[in-house]
Amino acid sequence: MKSALSLARISYTQAIKRPTLLPLTSLGYRGLHHQPVLKKSSCNVNSSSTSSNPPMSFPCIDKMESRTLELDSGPEPSYDNIVTGYEKFEYPHPFLLDHGGILPKIDIAYETWGTLNTKKDNAILIHTGLSASSHARSHAKNTKPGWWENFIGPGAHIDTNKFFVICTNALGGCYGSTGPSSIDPADGERYATRFPIITVFDMIRAQFKLLDHLGIDKLHASVGSSMGGMQSIAAAKLFPDRVKRLISISACARSHPYSIALRHTQRQVLMADPNWNKGFYYKGIPPHVGMKLAREIATISYRSGPEWELRFGRKRSNENQSPALCPDFLIETYLDHQGERFCLQYDPNSLLYISKAMDMFDMSRSETEKLQRQRQHNLPKIEQILKHRQQLERPDEEDARIMAEACRSIIGTQSALEGKQEEKDMSTEPAEKKSRLTTLSSDPATQDLVDGMKGINMPTLVLGVQSDILFPVWQQKEIAECLRASGNNRVTYYELDAMFGHDTFLIDRVSVGGAIKGHLELLEDENV
């Protein structure tokens, strides 16, 4: 039998282990399924009265908490108003995605520079990286400098005196194109994580719907860096007769474990933020802490050690202060600043969806054929949707809600994972394990990639950077060598000895811009 003292000890132990919960109303609660916030223990604050050392201060944590309180009482971030002055192409028909999802309609935000000639054969399509908008260069409707401001313009490396330049916000983004933050016409609410999984190939198909709208049958060039380089390769594969030249900078032909691991970590950090709320945060506090930390992880992979050694070294922000656990070294303050600046400028759900699309990118024949089989399997859904729409009220009107209802009746409430599970049995080909390579060889996995690159026979420029740790130069070599092995004898490969890492394509105007200009302005008899 337990003594009274033992029972008292048990009660005390249980009491200190059981957190005190604040009522949701006192927390300014607005989200769905929000996690309760634990009440801070006062003993942590007053521990200096008994401790041999005073408690450490954490201004970085206080700052994030203050921002959370501000966001709780203020307006939510308006991601689609950060970039303005773009045009919007509306495709009012069901849009089938590679993994079986169907969007009732899509919008594609785009901006243009230069003039389309009478033959409509001088158009250059620029594909963006993960979080970039369509605003690649300033113009009358938006005079702010664009993300590729110094590369595009009259007499520039991408010369708008010669070319008609188009840049879009990728499908899945948040700067005007349809993405998770867009309104689902079925119920007037944002898609959030009801948005279906997308691929890089889906982004390309959406962009070519825009080209159809503009009356452009063939591009002078498809140009992209980072994820944009993936898109440029995908465009050349999907529409080889509509792409005259190809430029891929700091990209890959298939995502490899290191970059997948980095993006996975970013997504996990973001989704661990309680305010993410499984993607349904638009009426509450955005997951700004998770976004900040995800951006800091990403920034480490965007730049290089040599540059940071030169810029920051081991210098601290204040050499006269005692070391702290908050940002202390200059490199720490730099990462902290990058995270703070980004955390409310981009939709967290867009980051999740687009980074996942990058992970899944693989030009291997087995993978591209698998996606094609999935599309063929799901194409009848479009006919069913159109047929069902005819049976609904107001069939002669392009009513978004009616179309959304038709989509929902065909797709049902099946999750992306359930759909993927069903489609696994469609292939009769045996699944083979693929070895991971860093050089071109004759093994089955590499031959699979070579076979997947067949048909990309236009003049191609592949550009890599020696200090790039996110998309290392061996991945650029893999692109070039696979294209050559697949039959393309017009592949130019450049390797830059720049110290800016992956972001070199944004910074090195002379080397990167010079290579782009040379490839774009090849004489006709050299490439036809």
Side-chain angles (χ1 to χ4, degrees):
M1 186 172 180
K2 295 181 180 179
S3 66
L5 180 59
S6 298
L7 291 173
R9 285 174 176 169
I10 292 172
S11 299
Y12 175 75
T13 302
Q14 291 174 342
I16 62 173
K17 286 183 177 180
R18 187 183 301 118
T20 302
L21 300 182
L22 292 174
L24 296 178
T25 52
S26 69
L27 299 173
Y29 173 76
R30 292 189 292 169
L32 298 173
H33 311 299
H34 201 286
Q35 297 295 323
V37 178
L38 300 183
K39 188 176 181 180
K40 293 182 180 179
S41 172
S42 60
C43 64
N44 293 330
V45 178
N46 299 324
S47 61
S48 59
S49 60
T50 57
S51 173
S52 57
N53 289 281
M56 189 176 291
S57 61
F58 293 94
C60 54
I61 302 300
D62 295 339
K63 185 176 181 180
M64 287 191 289
E65 290 179 349
S66 296
R67 179 169 248 181
T68 298
L69 291 174
E70 292 171 1
L71 292 170
D72 186 37
S73 58
E76 62 186 73
S78 184
Y79 306 105
D80 54 359
N81 288 333
I82 293 175
V83 177
T84 61
Y86 52 77
E87 305 296 325
K88 185 178 286 188
F89 162 63
E90 297 181 2
Y91 182 73
H93 311 292
F95 188 79
L96 177 65
L97 303 170
D98 277 335
H99 288 289
I102 299 177
L103 294 169
K105 68 181 188 70
I106 59 169
D107 296 333
I108 297 297
Y110 70 99
E111 298 177 48
T112 65
W113 303 265
T115 304
L116 187 63
N117 62 19
T118 54
K119 294 182 179 180
K120 296 188 176 182
D121 63 357
N122 69 330
I124 293 174
L125 180 59
I126 295 177
H127 310 277
T128 70
L130 189 158
S131 59
S133 71
S134 59
H135 191 60
R137 191 185 190 278
S138 57
H139 52 81
K141 293 183 179 180
N142 186 349
T143 57
K144 292 182 179 179
W147 58 267
W148 235 13
E149 182 75 18
N150 295 324
F151 289 79
I152 304 169
H157 298 102
I158 303 177
D159 191 349
T160 52
N161 289 332
K162 299 178 180 179
F163 303 114
F164 178 64
V165 182
I166 310 164
C167 184
T168 75
N169 178 219
L171 182 70
C174 58
Y175 295 136
S177 293
T178 299
S181 61
S182 300
I183 298 299
D184 182 349
D187 59 7
E189 298 290 336
R190 296 183 190 258
Y191 281 107
T193 46
R194 301 178 301 172
F195 195 77
I197 291 292
I198 59 174
T199 68
V200 170
F201 296 105
D202 291 327
M203 299 174 191
I204 294 302
R205 291 188 182 92
Q207 290 172 343
F208 273 74
K209 294 294 185 185
L210 167 63
L211 295 181
D212 294 340
H213 169 72
L214 296 175
I216 298 171
D217 182 61
K218 190 168 187 175
L219 290 169
H220 180 80
S222 174
V223 182
S225 306
S226 190
M227 186 187 77
M230 296 178 176
Q231 292 178 76
S232 63
I233 296 171
K237 178 64 178 181
L238 286 181
F239 303 98
D241 296 331
R242 299 184 66 178
V243 177
K244 192 174 181 181
R245 292 175 176 84
L246 165 62
I247 297 179
S248 176
I249 305 169
S250 297
C252 66
R254 52 182 174 179
S255 286
H256 285 259
Y258 176 75
S259 61
I260 293 174
L262 280 171
R263 288 187 290 267
H264 162 77
T265 305
Q266 293 170 48
R267 289 194 297 271
Q268 290 295 297
V269 166
L270 170 53
M271 291 189 292
D273 187 325
N275 289 314
W276 179 63
N277 195 29
K278 296 184 178 179
F280 292 88
Y281 50 80
Y282 295 107
K283 293 183 179 180
I285 302 171
H288 65 99
V289 176
M291 277 293 279
K292 174 183 177 179
L293 298 177
R295 183 63 172 187
E296 291 188 29
I297 295 170
T299 303
I300 295 171
S301 68
Y302 292 158
R303 307 304 274 262
S304 73
E307 180 201 5
W308 285 349
E309 180 68 31
L310 183 64
R311 288 178 63 185
F312 308 117
R314 289 182 46 81
K315 294 179 182 177
R316 295 172 54 214
S317 58
N318 192 330
E319 298 288 349
N320 297 322
Q321 286 186 353
S322 298
L325 296 179
C326 281
D328 183 25
F329 285 96
L330 286 182
I331 182 60
E332 294 176 321
T333 60
Y334 169 76
L335 292 174
D336 186 69
H337 170 72
Q338 292 296 320
E340 284 284 352
R341 191 179 66 170
F342 181 77
C343 68
L344 295 176
Q345 289 187 349
Y346 196 70
D347 180 35
N349 282 336
S350 285
L351 176 65
L352 297 176
Y353 277 84
I354 294 182
S355 69
K356 188 64 179 181
M358 294 176 70
D359 289 353
M360 295 186 295
F361 184 69
D362 189 345
M363 288 297 300
S364 300
R365 179 179 177 179
S366 62
E367 292 299 318
T368 55
E369 288 186 348
K370 176 183 175 183
L371 289 179
Q372 185 59 33
R373 288 193 299 270
Q374 288 183 176
R375 290 190 67 82
Q376 291 299 322
H377 176 74
N378 289 306
L379 272 175
K381 292 181 181 179
I382 298 294
E383 294 300 324
Q384 294 177 50
I385 288 170
L386 296 176
K387 182 178 179 180
H388 186 76
R389 180 183 177 276
Q390 294 295 323
Q391 300 171 356
L392 299 173
E393 58 182 2
R394 293 181 291 172
D396 296 329
E397 299 180 22
E398 279 295 348
D399 186 279
R401 186 185 63 79
I402 296 297
M403 185 64 75
E405 183 179 340
C407 286
R408 184 171 55 193
S409 69
I410 301 304
I411 300 172
T413 58
Q414 187 181 59
S415 73
L417 287 177
E418 290 169 339
K420 187 174 181 64
Q421 185 67 33
E422 280 187 2
E423 291 160 359
K424 282 183 178 179
D425 299 330
M426 291 168 50
S427 173
T428 58
E429 298 178 5
E432 296 181 357
K433 287 187 176 181
K434 297 181 181 180
S435 58
R436 306 181 189 280
L437 303 175
T438 58
T439 58
L440 193 61
S441 69
S442 59
D443 83 331
T446 301
Q447 187 58 49
D448 190 13
L449 186 59
V450 171
D451 291 341
M453 303 285 270
K454 287 181 179 178
I456 304 177
N457 294 320
M458 66 287 294
T460 300
L461 169 66
V462 181
L463 197 62
V465 180
Q466 291 179 2
S467 59
D468 190 343
I469 62 174
L470 184 58
F471 291 89
V473 288
W474 64 261
Q475 292 187 16
Q476 318 312 313
K477 292 176 182 177
E478 185 176 63
I479 296 172
E481 291 173 5
C482 284
L483 285 172
R484 289 168 179 155
S486 69
N488 189 337
N489 58 5
R490 294 177 291 181
V491 179
T492 302
Y493 173 73
Y494 285 142
E495 189 172 299
L496 302 180
D497 183 18
M499 69 173 180
F500 303 110
H502 185 64
D503 277 356
T504 296
F505 74 88
L506 295 170
I507 300 170
D508 193 343
R509 183 176 56 179
V510 175
S511 299
V512 175
I516 292 173
K517 182 177 179 65
H519 193 72
L520 291 178
E521 299 182 9
L522 284 171
L523 296 177
E524 291 297 317
D525 58 3
E526 292 181 0
N527 66 85
V528 178

PDB file of all heavy atoms in Angstrom, residues 36-50:
ATOM      1  N   PRO A  36      -3.620  23.613 -29.718  1.00  0.00           N
ATOM      2  CA  PRO A  36      -3.644  24.503 -28.558  1.00  0.00           C
ATOM      3  C   PRO A  36      -2.245  24.951 -28.178  1.00  0.00           C
ATOM      4  O   PRO A  36      -1.273  24.247 -28.402  1.00  0.00           O
ATOM      5  CB  PRO A  36      -4.254  23.625 -27.458  1.00  0.00           C
ATOM      6  CG  PRO A  36      -3.987  22.221 -27.905  1.00  0.00           C
ATOM      7  CD  PRO A  36      -4.052  22.246 -29.395  1.00  0.00           C
ATOM      8  N   VAL A  37      -2.163  26.143 -27.651  1.00  0.00           N
ATOM      9  CA  VAL A  37      -0.876  26.705 -27.272  1.00  0.00           C
ATOM     10  C   VAL A  37      -0.630  26.472 -25.791  1.00  0.00           C
ATOM     11  O   VAL A  37      -1.500  26.740 -24.961  1.00  0.00           O
ATOM     12  CB  VAL A  37      -0.840  28.220 -27.582  1.00  0.00           C
ATOM     13  CG1 VAL A  37       0.476  28.811 -27.139  1.00  0.00           C
ATOM     14  CG2 VAL A  37      -1.076  28.441 -29.065  1.00  0.00           C
ATOM     15  N   LEU A  38       0.544  25.985 -25.464  1.00  0.00           N
ATOM     16  CA  LEU A  38       0.870  25.723 -24.066  1.00  0.00           C
ATOM     17  C   LEU A  38       1.181  27.020 -23.335  1.00  0.00           C
ATOM     18  O   LEU A  38       1.890  27.884 -23.849  1.00  0.00           O
ATOM     19  CB  LEU A  38       2.070  24.783 -23.996  1.00  0.00           C
ATOM     20  CG  LEU A  38       1.884  23.411 -24.661  1.00  0.00           C
ATOM     21  CD1 LEU A  38       3.137  22.579 -24.436  1.00  0.00           C
ATOM     22  CD2 LEU A  38       0.678  22.702 -24.081  1.00  0.00           C
ATOM     23  N   LYS A  39       0.660  27.117 -22.137  1.00  0.00           N
ATOM     24  CA  LYS A  39       0.938  28.291 -21.312  1.00  0.00           C
ATOM     25  C   LYS A  39       2.357  28.201 -20.774  1.00  0.00           C
ATOM     26  O   LYS A  39       2.792  27.163 -20.298  1.00  0.00           O
ATOM     27  CB  LYS A  39      -0.054  28.343 -20.156  1.00  0.00           C
ATOM     28  CG  LYS A  39       0.027  29.619 -19.342  1.00  0.00           C
ATOM     29  CD  LYS A  39      -1.058  29.639 -18.288  1.00  0.00           C
ATOM     30  CE  LYS A  39      -1.022  30.918 -17.486  1.00  0.00           C
ATOM     31  NZ  LYS A  39      -2.074  30.942 -16.455  1.00  0.00           N
ATOM     32  N   LYS A  40       3.093  29.275 -20.906  1.00  0.00           N
ATOM     33  CA  LYS A  40       4.485  29.285 -20.451  1.00  0.00           C
ATOM     34  C   LYS A  40       4.562  29.170 -18.934  1.00  0.00           C
ATOM     35  O   LYS A  40       3.793  29.792 -18.208  1.00  0.00           O
ATOM     36  CB  LYS A  40       5.175  30.571 -20.909  1.00  0.00           C
ATOM     37  CG  LYS A  40       5.341  30.654 -22.421  1.00  0.00           C
ATOM     38  CD  LYS A  40       6.064  31.924 -22.794  1.00  0.00           C
ATOM     39  CE  LYS A  40       6.239  32.031 -24.291  1.00  0.00           C
ATOM     40  NZ  LYS A  40       6.916  33.271 -24.680  1.00  0.00           N
ATOM     41  N   SER A  41       5.514  28.398 -18.485  1.00  0.00           N
ATOM     42  CA  SER A  41       5.710  28.237 -17.040  1.00  0.00           C
ATOM     43  C   SER A  41       6.441  29.448 -16.480  1.00  0.00           C
ATOM     44  O   SER A  41       7.453  29.884 -17.011  1.00  0.00           O
ATOM     45  CB  SER A  41       6.519  26.961 -16.771  1.00  0.00           C
ATOM     46  OG  SER A  41       6.870  26.894 -15.409  1.00  0.00           O
ATOM     47  N   SER A  42       5.920  29.994 -15.415  1.00  0.00           N
ATOM     48  CA  SER A  42       6.532  31.191 -14.838  1.00  0.00           C
ATOM     49  C   SER A  42       7.880  30.901 -14.207  1.00  0.00           C
ATOM     50  O   SER A  42       8.700  31.795 -14.045  1.00  0.00           O
ATOM     51  CB  SER A  42       5.589  31.784 -13.781  1.00  0.00           C
ATOM     52  OG  SER A  42       5.353  30.822 -12.756  1.00  0.00           O
ATOM     53  N   CYS A  43       8.151  29.600 -13.892  1.00  0.00           N
ATOM     54  CA  CYS A  43       9.424  29.295 -13.237  1.00  0.00           C
ATOM     55  C   CYS A  43      10.598  29.539 -14.167  1.00  0.00           C
ATOM     56  O   CYS A  43      11.701  29.808 -13.721  1.00  0.00           O
ATOM     57  CB  CYS A  43       9.434  27.847 -12.743  1.00  0.00           C
ATOM     58  SG  CYS A  43       9.339  26.635 -14.085  1.00  0.00           S
ATOM     59  N   ASN A  44      10.348  29.487 -15.523  1.00  0.00           N
ATOM     60  CA  ASN A  44      11.441  29.743 -16.450  1.00  0.00           C
ATOM     61  C   ASN A  44      11.860  31.206 -16.424  1.00  0.00           C
ATOM     62  O   ASN A  44      13.021  31.551 -16.596  1.00  0.00           O
ATOM     63  CB  ASN A  44      11.022  29.363 -17.871  1.00  0.00           C
ATOM     64  CG  ASN A  44      10.820  27.869 -18.026  1.00  0.00           C
ATOM     65  OD1 ASN A  44      11.472  27.106 -17.334  1.00  0.00           O
ATOM     66  ND2 ASN A  44       9.916  27.461 -18.919  1.00  0.00           N
ATOM     67  N   VAL A  45      10.882  32.062 -16.219  1.00  0.00           N
ATOM     68  CA  VAL A  45      11.169  33.491 -16.225  1.00  0.00           C
ATOM     69  C   VAL A  45      11.891  33.917 -14.959  1.00  0.00           C
ATOM     70  O   VAL A  45      12.796  34.749 -14.985  1.00  0.00           O
ATOM     71  CB  VAL A  45       9.847  34.285 -16.382  1.00  0.00           C
ATOM     72  CG1 VAL A  45      10.114  35.776 -16.346  1.00  0.00           C
ATOM     73  CG2 VAL A  45       9.149  33.891 -17.680  1.00  0.00           C
ATOM     74  N   ASN A  46      11.514  33.324 -13.840  1.00  0.00           N
ATOM     75  CA  ASN A  46      12.053  33.756 -12.559  1.00  0.00           C
ATOM     76  C   ASN A  46      13.227  32.907 -12.066  1.00  0.00           C
ATOM     77  O   ASN A  46      13.631  33.012 -10.921  1.00  0.00           O
ATOM     78  CB  ASN A  46      10.942  33.729 -11.497  1.00  0.00           C
ATOM     79  CG  ASN A  46       9.801  34.658 -11.855  1.00  0.00           C
ATOM     80  OD1 ASN A  46      10.034  35.725 -12.407  1.00  0.00           O
ATOM     81  ND2 ASN A  46       8.571  34.239 -11.558  1.00  0.00           N
ATOM     82  N   SER A  47      13.755  32.060 -12.970  1.00  0.00           N
ATOM     83  CA  SER A  47      14.801  31.146 -12.525  1.00  0.00           C
ATOM     84  C   SER A  47      16.078  31.862 -12.126  1.00  0.00           C
ATOM     85  O   SER A  47      16.921  31.295 -11.451  1.00  0.00           O
ATOM     86  CB  SER A  47      15.109  30.137 -13.633  1.00  0.00           C
ATOM     87  OG  SER A  47      15.566  30.816 -14.795  1.00  0.00           O
ATOM     88  N   SER A  48      16.228  33.144 -12.530  1.00  0.00           N
ATOM     89  CA  SER A  48      17.452  33.873 -12.194  1.00  0.00           C
ATOM     90  C   SER A  48      17.598  34.074 -10.682  1.00  0.00           C
ATOM     91  O   SER A  48      18.695  34.315 -10.179  1.00  0.00           O
ATOM     92  CB  SER A  48      17.472  35.228 -12.912  1.00  0.00           C
ATOM     93  OG  SER A  48      16.345  35.987 -12.528  1.00  0.00           O
ATOM     94  N   SER A  49      16.457  33.984  -9.936  1.00  0.00           N
ATOM     95  CA  SER A  49      16.544  34.205  -8.501  1.00  0.00           C
ATOM     96  C   SER A  49      17.210  33.051  -7.777  1.00  0.00           C
ATOM     97  O   SER A  49      17.695  33.211  -6.665  1.00  0.00           O
ATOM     98  CB  SER A  49      15.124  34.421  -7.943  1.00  0.00           C
ATOM     99  OG  SER A  49      14.335  33.266  -8.196  1.00  0.00           O
ATOM    100  N   THR A  50      17.217  31.873  -8.421  1.00  0.00           N
ATOM    101  CA  THR A  50      17.842  30.709  -7.775  1.00  0.00           C
ATOM    102  C   THR A  50      19.014  30.148  -8.560  1.00  0.00           C
ATOM    103  O   THR A  50      19.810  29.407  -8.019  1.00  0.00           O
ATOM    104  CB  THR A  50      16.794  29.595  -7.597  1.00  0.00           C
ATOM    105  OG1 THR A  50      16.232  29.264  -8.870  1.00  0.00           O
ATOM    106  CG2 THR A  50      15.673  30.048  -6.667  1.00  0.00           C
TER     107      THR A  50
END
